[in-house]
Amino acid sequence: MDEKEELHLTSQELQVLSELDSRQFGFLKLRGSEHGRTRALVLKAVKYLEGMLVQVKEEERACSPGARRDICIDPKTYCKLGHFHLLLEDYAKAMSAYQKFYALEQDNWKDPLFLYGLGLCYYHYNAFDWATKALQMALYVAPGFSRAADAHLRLALMFKARRHWGAAAVHFRRARLAPHQDATFTRLELSFHAAHLLEARGLRKAARDAYERLLKEPQLSSMLKADVCRQLGWMYHRCASLGEPAARARAAIWCLQRAVVAEPESGAGLYLLGRCFAAQGKVHDAFIAYRNSVEKSEGNADTWCSIGVLYQQQNQPMDALQAYICAVQLDKGHSAAWTNLGSLYESCSMARDAFACYNNGGARATLASAPLRQRLAFLRAHLAHAPVPSVTGKRRSLPSIEEAWNLPISAEMSSRAPKAAPPPYPGAGASTPSTPATGAGPAAPKRDEPTPLTHHQLQTLQYLQRNSHNLSPQQQALMQQLLSQYRLSQAARARAVAKNEGNCASGDSAESLAEDLLKKFSDSQPDIKKEPTTKSPLSVNNSDAVLGGRQPVVKLEPLKTDPLKPVSFHIGMSAKQIMDSCKDNAGPPTSWSVLGDGCGPPEPPGVPPPRLSAEQLAPPAPFVYVESKRDAFSPQLQDFCLKHPIAVVRGLTAALKLDLGLFSTKTLVEAWPDHAVEVRTQLMQSADENWDASGRRRVWACASHRSHTTVRKYAQYQAGSFQDSLREERERGAAPAHSAGALSDSDGRESGSGPAKRRRTARMLRFGTNVDLSDERKWRPQLTELQKLPAFARVASAANMLSHVGHVILGMNTVQLYMKVPGSRTPGHQENNNFCSININIGPGDCEWFGVPDAYWGGVRELCDRHGLSYLHGSWWPDPDELRAHGVPVYRFTQRPGDLVWVNAGCVHWVQATGWCNNIAWNVGPLTARQYSLALERYEWNKVQNFKSIVPMVHLTWNLARNIRVSDPRLHRAMRTCLLQTLRAAAGTLQTVRARGVPVRFHGRARGEASHYCGACEREVWHALLVREHERRHVVHCLACARRASPTLQGFLCLEEHHVEELSLVYDAFTLHRPAPPLHAPAALPPTPTPTPTPD
């Protein structure tokens, strides 16, 4: 049989191949013998495609330039080839094919099968940032994706590995909400990962309860039972909060022994059991457990390190030395083994070897351990004045580190990795012994951590990938170099994060003891080192030989869309035309975006060019002084605020004679002393710094703990804090120049004595936040007083979009109050859905503000990612110097009592009180195209990020269309597009549910009824609400989540909120208003308030 006949594909084979894509990954195991025929067919298809594409390339080269246009390469061919390679677990070729499709297909973001496959490849290579983006996009374009549960679980595991606890919890919950959906994991495995998340977050008791519930499950597999028992046993061993020491020790031994019985071939349980025995002084039992663990898993450096500790405690230094050498040869970066080895050498008076081992432990271990830093300093000073050791000197009790590295050891310790060159002494080849160890050989443990790509390098890499089909050899080499550097940095970052995950208060790292759950979830080891060097995932040199395509191959990728002729929708259509077109074909849900058909989801912007100067990176805050009521109500004041990212209006409250005393702590206590106050417990620090809990390292993570109290109790604390400060100042004999609100060095500002003093003097404070003043019956005097403000700044106004929502959104279209002591922090954030906000300082103290223009919010997010923080879910306090070094300008100013701070749409800001004060705040939505567009873009981006938008933009848009007339063409176009798209989505949803026999009933909307959100994905659900018919408490579902729960929608009922005729009338009536020209000349406008810099 010749090659052509061998590669012929029958119609039946083509049908089978057409049904294979990334959704079968994890289900169709082509490596095993079970699916041998399918594997052979896929290999045959790959060979067939590659042969066809090679032929196309040859024809293309042979054709004249004018004839090349007749040869068509269908991008979907590359996507299909990527699916085949993914199912064959050839990740390098799969990535190459997917990237080729990405480069050739402009609308690649609309294909969830491609996005899911691409995400799986990135996940395999530990490129978590790109894997997260791809999987999030797959869920965005197809919320009802059949592999949504797997996508959510992988997202949860990646967020957990990066310590984004809130986002991880959201995705674990959503993965659990698909009981009828096929997944590569079981319900019990998901519960185990969720329990481990509780443990990693430090919620020990909740994690223990979750693990114990799992052990009671009758269907628990032996492997999962072993995992649960190991985690639970080790928790009992190391967490003092779980009971008395004796009871915890018994429970730990019992759990770990059950783990060994459940999985006898694993050495992990035996190792942990040995650790527990050693802690209880049962040396013989511990040694037996360690030896058995070595027999099961010879290459475990942790086990050898613990054996060394056991020998060292038993005063057997030579055996301890050999065990430690085994550990560091297996893991050259094992800091605990190097530190223990240094301690062993120091106990034997071998300072030179001890210093070498301590240094080889790595910079991170040195930074985290004060005693280790002290020993290094002592040994460095000692060796600087010590004589060079003589060859004929006193005999040493242990061989040197270089000798020990090559020393033959006993048979019981011979099962380990091959030897490598020993690490050098520090200072080798230098004149002094203080030179740090450099590690020229492979045994040198100090890894050169790969440098992460800069923003410019990332942009370059993305550009090269998009144009990978048209690159010069130099550009191809650059792309490969950048990609390799990116992957290595991602892998290093994942290792570093995993090293820190699960740390306990006792300082014992769970990372090196418990199994790596993230890697265990993968079908194969996701180690970047295993990638074949000759098959780079994005290589285009080899792709010419194996990829390519022509039109006939498209039959391998059947069209999944409706075969009906697509209809083009535009805002000039009437409601009747839209509804008639939707009866034929409303289009796929991917075309229902409120931004418009064909518009991709918004992405964070990079730092815009050009690079700003030092003066531009620290701009003065825009200030305006209001001297009279006429100035306060002038349109120029509103224009001034709308022109700047953030602005301070000084003198407004005095000019309008606002009684700010109504919001003072004294008035609040007299009015409603038992009103609820949310309290955030925070570390007191200076405003331009943020230190970790140890006080040694500047970080962005801003920790606070939530609790609740009452107005009366917080007022007592606030007053007591002020009295304590006065007493301390009297005792210190403070100079009058120091205001009561200023922070001293002891409050967290770095001083000459460094971290030790910060830790010694660090104080905790309590910040009273989110005090709800929405109840008009309680707070009528306060709310009435705020009506004195100009219309653009009022809580409720016809010119405020948020007044048209029709129901309360706490803290946005209602007033919230904040009760502060010095140091109280509101971490960095953008307002919900990018709406503007108003903040008035009641006094008597000041607040310090920081702000970043909305055009640079993408740069802030980049730095959050670099610090391992979630931009939306995390709590972070930026470093202004780091922002400016990244090209991001930062405003900084002081808000005095009576000052109104206007935060414009999208401005990133963070605030710290420098005195004792109260603040009131709320959001406003000026009726401008910019405000509406930014709110709508954030509404869509929140969907991509699986973050709830608390402003229901669809419901708000329809209410605005009912209530206002718009004369701005840009605002009208944006709103009209949103109305069109949501009308399409409603019609498409109703058409789908009726086709499946779901009963549709009119429900209507009550006055003041809150907007509805899907109980599963938390997206806004408008007009067509899907609920289960027989539930007592109806939980609203969107169409995608309802189909995930029941593909046929059996048991669901559809409730309509509006009559279609009413919606049609609203849509048709919303036209661009063209105001008539004025008949008379306008009156003279008041003078523009002059913005001048603040005197402070």
Side-chain angles (χ1 to χ4, degrees):
M1 181 182 296
D2 63 16
E3 189 177 357
K4 242 180 188 179
E5 291 175 343
E6 184 184 350
L7 294 180
H8 176 70
L9 293 173
T10 66
S11 58
Q12 291 83 359
E13 289 174 332
L14 288 172
Q15 179 61 34
V16 172
L17 292 170
S18 69
E19 297 172 357
L20 296 181
D21 52 52
S22 59
R23 290 172 297 184
Q24 279 73 43
F25 180 82
F27 296 91
L28 190 63
K29 302 284 188 179
L30 297 184
R31 283 189 173 182
S33 58
E34 182 182 357
H35 300 286
R37 292 181 61 186
T38 307
R39 175 181 174 82
L41 177 59
V42 173
L43 288 170
K44 181 180 176 182
V46 169
K47 195 171 183 181
Y48 171 80
L49 283 175
E50 291 174 352
M52 291 284 291
L53 303 179
V54 168
Q55 183 182 350
V56 168
K57 288 295 180 182
E58 291 173 352
E59 291 178 6
E60 189 176 33
R61 292 190 186 100
C63 288
S64 60
R68 287 191 180 185
R69 66 187 64 180
D70 297 330
I71 299 176
C72 179
I73 298 179
D74 179 28
K76 286 190 175 182
T77 305
Y78 295 100
C79 187
K80 195 68 179 181
L81 200 54
H83 295 330
F84 290 158
H85 284 307
L86 178 66
L87 296 178
L88 293 168
E89 298 182 43
D90 189 343
Y91 295 98
K93 289 185 177 180
M95 180 73 85
S96 179
Y98 284 140
Q99 288 292 346
K100 194 79 172 180
F101 173 75
Y102 176 85
L104 295 175
E105 179 57 61
Q106 186 176 1
D107 290 337
N108 56 71
W109 64 271
K110 294 182 178 180
D111 188 344
L113 304 181
F114 156 71
L115 294 168
Y116 183 61
L118 184 65
L120 293 174
C121 289
Y122 281 134
Y123 181 88
H124 170 81
Y125 287 116
N126 273 353
F128 289 164
D129 287 343
W130 288 0
T132 299
K133 182 177 179 180
L135 293 178
Q136 284 179 336
M137 282 293 295
L139 294 172
Y140 169 78
V141 300
F145 186 48
S146 60
R147 294 292 175 261
D150 270 309
H152 280 301
L153 180 58
R154 281 181 167 83
L155 285 167
L157 292 172
M158 289 188 289
F159 281 124
K160 178 162 69 73
R162 290 182 288 179
R163 305 176 71 82
H164 297 174
W165 311 129
V170 166
H171 286 288
F172 274 131
R173 185 176 66 84
R174 294 184 183 177
R176 193 181 290 115
L177 289 175
H180 303 292
Q181 195 174 50
D182 291 334
T184 55
F185 58 90
T186 65
R187 175 183 62 86
L188 297 179
E189 287 172 338
L190 179 60
S191 299
F192 172 63
H193 287 297
H196 185 261
L197 174 64
L198 295 173
E199 180 186 353
R201 295 179 73 171
L203 305 174
R204 314 295 183 195
K205 293 182 179 179
R208 176 198 61 190
D209 295 342
Y211 286 138
E212 289 178 346
R213 283 195 301 271
L214 267 173
L215 289 176
K216 296 176 183 177
E217 291 283 350
Q219 298 177 347
L220 196 67
S221 67
S222 59
M223 187 177 296
L224 189 55
K225 181 179 181 180
D227 288 338
V228 174
C229 288
R230 276 195 294 268
Q231 294 297 124
L232 186 58
W234 191 245
M235 275 184 62
Y236 273 122
H237 170 70
R238 63 195 176 94
C239 298
S241 61
L242 297 183
E244 295 296 323
R248 288 192 297 109
R250 289 193 300 271
I253 296 293
W254 182 79
C255 288
L256 292 171
Q257 286 175 337
R258 290 184 68 186
V260 172
V261 172
E263 195 175 14
E265 296 303 316
S266 172
L270 287 164
Y271 166 65
L272 298 178
L273 187 61
R275 287 286 299 268
C276 292
F277 280 139
Q280 297 174 28
K282 300 177 180 178
V283 178
H284 180 68
D285 293 337
F287 187 79
I288 291 175
Y290 287 149
R291 293 306 310 152
N292 290 334
S293 174
V294 169
E295 291 174 3
K296 307 292 184 184
S297 53
E298 297 174 352
N300 192 324
D302 291 330
T303 306
W304 285 111
C305 180
S306 296
I307 291 174
V309 171
L310 208 58
Y311 276 132
Q312 191 171 351
Q313 290 172 346
Q314 299 304 305
N315 198 24
Q316 295 175 249
M318 192 62 194
D319 292 327
L321 173 67
Q322 292 175 330
Y324 290 142
I325 290 295
C326 287
V328 296
Q329 286 185 346
L330 288 167
D331 181 0
K332 299 176 181 64
H334 202 290
S335 56
W338 281 113
T339 304
N340 292 341
L341 190 54
S343 172
L344 178 65
Y345 274 122
E346 195 171 3
S347 68
C348 297
S349 302
M350 299 175 67
R352 189 177 178 82
D353 296 279
F355 184 73
C357 294
Y358 285 147
N359 242 329
N360 286 334
R364 186 172 298 161
T366 305
L367 185 66
S369 173
L372 181 56
R373 291 197 301 275
Q374 292 172 0
R375 298 313 304 157
L376 277 169
F378 171 78
L379 291 172
R380 187 179 289 109
H382 173 73
L383 291 173
H385 303 92
V388 177
S390 172
V391 177
T392 60
K394 179 181 175 183
R395 178 170 177 172
R396 296 169 299 187
S397 56
L398 286 176
S400 69
I401 180 64
E402 289 181 327
E403 295 167 347
W405 200 265
N406 297 303
L407 194 69
I409 60 174
S410 58
E412 67 176 3
M413 292 188 180
S414 61
S415 299
R416 55 187 175 91
K419 297 176 183 177
Y425 283 108
S431 59
T432 64
S434 59
T435 307
T438 56
K446 293 178 69 176
R447 301 169 178 164
D448 291 333
E449 292 294 341
T451 308
L453 296 183
T454 64
H455 174 67
H456 175 71
Q457 288 175 319
L458 276 174
Q459 285 185 326
T460 303
L461 177 57
Q462 291 169 358
Y463 171 79
L464 292 173
Q465 287 175 323
R466 283 195 297 268
N467 299 278
S468 59
H469 59 289
N470 190 25
L471 296 180
S472 66
Q474 294 82 0
Q475 290 172 324
Q476 293 171 4
L478 175 61
M479 184 176 71
Q480 294 309 314
Q481 178 186 349
L482 292 175
L483 182 68
S484 175
Q485 182 181 348
Y486 176 81
R487 287 185 183 148
L488 289 172
S489 65
Q490 286 291 313
R493 178 175 161 189
R495 286 195 302 268
V497 172
K499 285 279 184 185
N500 296 324
E501 187 176 319
N503 285 349
C504 286
S506 63
D508 218 345
S509 173
E511 174 273 332
S512 61
L513 310 174
E515 291 195 15
D516 187 342
L517 301 177
L518 186 64
K519 290 184 179 179
K520 183 171 181 179
F521 180 75
S522 295
D523 290 329
S524 57
Q525 186 80 359
D527 191 349
I528 191 66
K529 295 176 183 175
K530 294 187 177 181
E531 182 188 353
T533 56
T534 59
K535 297 179 183 179
S536 177
L538 295 183
S539 175
V540 294
N541 293 331
N542 297 332
S543 65
D544 287 349
V546 298
L547 302 177
R550 70 161 73 191
Q551 195 65 32
V553 186
V554 176
K555 57 187 175 183
L556 291 177
E557 181 71 48
L559 295 176
K560 303 295 183 183
T561 56
D562 196 315
L564 295 174
K565 183 180 177 181
V567 180
S568 175
F569 292 85
H570 56 86
I571 59 174
M573 299 172 71
S574 66
K576 185 178 184 306
Q577 290 173 322
I578 294 171
M579 300 305 291
D580 290 343
S581 298
C582 288
K583 289 178 183 177
D584 297 329
N585 183 13
T590 54
S591 64
W592 297 347
S593 166
V594 295
L595 299 178
D597 191 358
C599 292
E603 293 187 359
V607 176
R611 178 80 181 186
L612 302 181
S613 64
E615 293 77 15
Q616 292 171 320
L617 289 170
F623 272 79
V624 61
Y625 290 85
V626 175
E627 298 179 351
S628 65
K629 191 172 182 179
R630 183 182 179 186
D631 289 345
F633 284 91
S634 68
Q636 287 82 1
L637 178 61
Q638 180 178 0
D639 292 341
F640 177 83
C641 291
L642 290 174
K643 279 180 187 175
H644 297 93
I646 195 166
V648 183
V649 183
R650 184 160 288 171
L652 178 70
T653 55
L656 298 177
K657 298 181 180 178
L658 257 69
D659 183 5
L660 299 182
L662 290 170
F663 300 93
S664 67
T665 301
K666 179 176 180 294
T667 305
L668 297 173
V669 172
E670 291 172 352
W672 297 98
D674 295 324
H675 195 66
V677 178
E678 180 183 325
V679 175
R680 293 283 180 170
T681 304
Q682 302 171 333
L683 182 68
M684 182 176 283
Q685 306 183 74
S686 72
D688 52 358
E689 293 180 350
N690 191 58
W691 297 84
D692 64 3
S694 67
R696 297 190 187 96
R697 193 164 57 98
R698 291 183 68 165
V699 294
W700 276 38
C702 184
S704 64
H705 305 283
R706 185 166 63 176
S707 58
H708 294 85
T709 186
T710 62
V711 167
R712 180 196 288 113
K713 291 180 180 178
Y714 190 85
Q716 294 169 353
Y717 164 75
Q718 199 178 36
S721 168
F722 182 73
Q723 295 298 328
D724 291 344
S725 177
L726 290 178
R727 184 173 61 254
E728 289 176 9
E729 293 230 1
R730 283 196 299 268
E731 291 172 357
R732 289 199 305 261
H738 293 280
S739 67
L743 290 177
S744 66
D745 285 343
S746 63
D747 293 331
R749 188 166 290 153
E750 187 173 11
S751 58
S753 54
K757 182 172 182 180
R758 267 196 306 276
R759 290 196 305 278
R760 188 169 61 250
T761 59
R763 293 189 296 177
M764 304 304 291
L765 60 89
R766 299 170 67 201
F767 169 27
T769 183
N770 297 340
V771 183
D772 176 28
L773 304 187
S774 63
D775 192 338
E776 293 185 3
R777 294 169 298 177
K778 285 185 175 182
W779 310 106
R780 185 175 298 277
Q782 286 80 4
L783 299 179
T784 302
E785 192 69 14
L786 295 179
Q787 291 300 313
K788 296 180 180 179
L789 290 168
F792 79 92
R794 288 180 197 154
V795 183
S797 165
N800 179 359
M801 285 188 198
L802 295 173
S803 297
H804 296 270
V805 172
H807 60 81
V808 167
I809 305 176
L810 290 177
M812 293 205 68
N813 56 11
T814 65
V815 181
Q816 284 191 332
L817 179 133
Y818 305 87
M819 308 175 75
K820 304 179 180 180
V821 297
S824 298
R825 284 182 165 182
T826 300
H829 66 288
Q830 289 174 295
E831 295 295 322
N832 288 303
N833 288 93
N834 279 338
F835 277 92
C836 303
S837 75
I838 301 285
N839 187 295
I840 299 176
N841 186 5
I842 305 302
D846 297 341
C847 288
E848 190 161 13
W849 283 68
F850 300 83
V852 170
D854 69 283
Y856 293 85
W857 77 269
V860 181
R861 182 178 181 269
E862 288 174 11
L863 291 177
C864 282
D865 290 342
R866 190 175 297 176
H867 284 271
L869 296 167
S870 170
Y871 182 79
L872 289 176
H873 296 272
S875 178
W876 36 274
W877 188 265
D879 180 353
D881 293 335
E882 189 174 351
L883 285 170
R884 293 182 180 118
H886 195 59
V888 176
V890 181
Y891 291 100
R892 184 174 185 174
F893 58 90
T894 298
Q895 180 192 28
R896 294 177 176 174
D899 285 354
L900 181 149
V901 174
W902 167 273
V903 180
N904 213 339
C907 177
V908 186
H909 56 286
W910 55 104
V911 190
Q912 175 160 319
T914 55
W916 288 264
C917 61
N918 290 354
N919 288 66
I920 53 174
W922 59 93
N923 290 97
V924 294
L927 290 167
T928 64
R930 180 176 181 274
Q931 171 65 90
Y932 181 79
S933 298
L934 285 177
L936 212 58
E937 287 175 8
R938 181 51 54 93
Y939 178 81
E940 285 297 295
W941 191 66
N942 284 348
K943 291 181 183 178
V944 178
Q945 300 297 313
N946 294 282
F947 190 80
K948 183 178 180 180
S949 293
I950 67 171
V951 180
M953 289 301 299
V954 175
H955 172 73
L956 173 59
T957 302
W958 281 91
N959 279 358
L960 288 172
R962 290 183 182 96
N963 300 340
I964 67 171
R965 291 189 298 180
V966 174
S967 56
D968 181 351
R970 292 186 303 151
L971 177 59
H972 175 266
R973 189 184 311 113
M975 289 180 60
R976 181 92 172 177
T977 300
C978 180
L979 296 174
L980 163 68
Q981 293 294 93
T982 50
L983 198 58
R984 279 181 68 188
T989 301
L990 291 173
Q991 186 178 348
T992 301
V993 298
R994 286 186 174 124
R996 284 163 175 74
V998 176
V1000 179
R1001 299 176 188 170
F1002 181 76
H1003 177 261
R1005 282 188 60 86
R1007 183 179 179 83
E1009 180 182 349
S1011 298
H1012 297 283
Y1013 289 84
C1014 176
C1017 67
E1018 294 186 317
R1019 294 188 181 186
E1020 181 189 1
V1021 184
W1022 177 80
H1023 182 65
L1025 315 177
L1026 285 159
V1027 297
R1028 291 190 183 274
E1029 196 168 3
H1030 301 296
E1031 282 182 338
R1032 282 188 179 178
R1033 180 179 174 271
H1034 289 312
V1035 177
V1036 173
H1037 291 71
C1038 65
L1039 177 61
C1041 292
R1043 293 180 68 177
R1044 281 179 60 195
S1046 174
T1048 62
L1049 297 179
Q1050 185 176 0
F1052 276 94
L1053 174 70
C1054 182
L1055 304 177
E1056 276 192 286
E1057 288 189 295
H1058 315 88
H1059 292 291
V1060 175
E1061 294 78 9
E1062 178 211 346
L1063 296 178
S1064 300
L1065 289 174
V1066 172
Y1067 178 83
D1068 290 336
F1070 184 70
T1071 56
L1072 182 64
H1073 175 64
R1074 304 184 186 278
L1079 298 177
H1080 305 286
L1085 294 174
T1088 304
T1090 305
T1092 55
T1094 176
D1096 52 64

